[in-house]
Amino acid sequence: MTRVAVVTGGTRGIGEAISLALKEQGCIVAANYAGNDEKARAFTDRTGIQAFRWDVADHDACLVGCAQIAETLGPIDIVINNAGITRDGVLAKMSFDDWNEVMRTNLGGCFNMAKATFGDMRARGWGRIVNIGSVNGQAGQYGQVNYAAAKSGIHGFTKALAQEGAKYGVTVNAIAPGYVDTDMVAAVPAAVLEKIVGKIPVGRLGQAAEIARGVGFLCSDHAAFITGSTLSINGGQHMY
């Protein structure tokens, strides 16, 4: 059976790698994006994957966007909550807007997308939700109280929702990536990045495709007995 998958933030970085991995597994993939129409068109031209624009922090927009995908491509079987933003700064300098925007997008987006799709997955007796957390949600990170709190919340959200979906054939899991070679990490000053890599036991940044392979496994029938779990893919940077 061909599954329909939605990947939020799915046209760039880790999201693009996930979109491609799920397509290679035979899924019909819809890639959500927030606002860069030019890059979204280039993504579709390059991959053949349709892109749909809405802000995952907007609850009603998620309901409408998912309904549009279901009407266009078919009922949604798989949701990858990958969309995320950063508004870094120490607490003393962090505004409420910096806090709120990150919480609304990174954690609120998971709630909004689950509300739009979880009920139908349960009714059909099959579904996969994979939420992209972060090593910084597990270990914390200086200057990221907003980001770390949102990502940590994702791990709790995952465990709770997994209990609601388990008997209906809907699994809910998370992946906590470490530092991955994406545009976001590339923006980190070289001296800081060198220190980060120095703390990774395998001695390098991760690759987006390595995260995507983990997502692909959790979305497969092979992972039917895995739910409420967080898969850490961080090169050994944080173990617990």
Side-chain angles (χ1 to χ4, degrees):
M1 172 183 269
T2 301
R3 307 292 188 183
V4 175
V6 179
V7 183
T8 68
T11 64
R12 302 173 62 186
I14 291 174
E16 177 176 355
I18 293 170
S19 295
L20 290 171
L22 292 177
K23 181 182 178 182
E24 289 173 6
Q25 285 185 203
C27 294
I28 299 171
V29 180
N32 153 268
Y33 70 103
N36 194 321
D37 293 324
E38 182 179 350
K39 289 192 175 181
R41 282 193 296 270
F43 165 84
T44 297
D45 291 343
R46 185 171 66 254
T47 66
I49 296 171
Q50 291 190 57
F52 295 79
R53 178 178 175 174
W54 76 82
D55 180 2
V56 298
D58 184 329
H59 182 74
D60 290 338
C62 288
L63 299 181
V64 171
C66 288
Q68 180 186 3
I69 289 170
E71 182 177 349
T72 303
L73 303 178
I76 296 169
D77 303 294
I78 297 168
V79 171
I80 313 301
N81 285 310
N82 168 73
I85 62 172
T86 56
R87 298 288 186 273
D88 294 350
V90 295
L91 182 64
K93 297 182 179 179
M94 182 176 290
S95 69
F96 175 75
D97 285 343
D98 291 336
W99 167 268
N100 200 39
E101 287 178 20
V102 169
M103 295 299 289
R104 288 181 65 245
T105 298
N106 297 13
L107 182 56
C110 292
F111 172 83
N112 294 337
M113 290 297 296
K115 284 291 287 185
T117 59
F118 185 71
D120 287 343
M121 289 180 186
R122 288 202 330 172
R124 292 195 304 275
W126 197 96
R128 298 286 186 268
I129 296 177
V130 180
N131 304 311
I132 306 302
S134 170
V135 64
N136 290 345
Q138 297 172 314
Q141 177 61 41
Y142 182 90
Q144 283 195 325
V145 294
N146 49 5
Y147 186 84
K151 291 297 188 178
S152 181
I154 284 174
H155 300 307
F157 175 89
T158 296
K159 294 177 187 299
L161 189 60
Q163 296 178 50
E164 297 184 26
K167 68 180 181 180
Y168 299 99
V170 181
T171 67
V172 185
N173 291 291
I175 286 184
Y179 285 85
V180 176
D181 189 11
T182 62
D183 290 343
M184 183 182 294
V185 172
V188 174
V192 175
L193 189 58
E194 183 178 356
K195 291 180 180 178
I196 290 171
V197 173
K199 295 179 180 179
I200 301 173
V202 301
R204 64 172 176 84
L205 297 174
Q207 300 295 317
E210 293 174 309
I211 310 303
R213 284 193 286 272
V215 172
F217 170 67
L218 292 174
C219 291
S220 72
D221 289 328
H222 298 297
F225 200 57
I226 302 172
T227 195
S229 293
T230 295
L231 174 60
S232 296
I233 307 178
N234 60 34
Q237 182 179 357
H238 180 67
M239 306 179 194
Y240 79 108

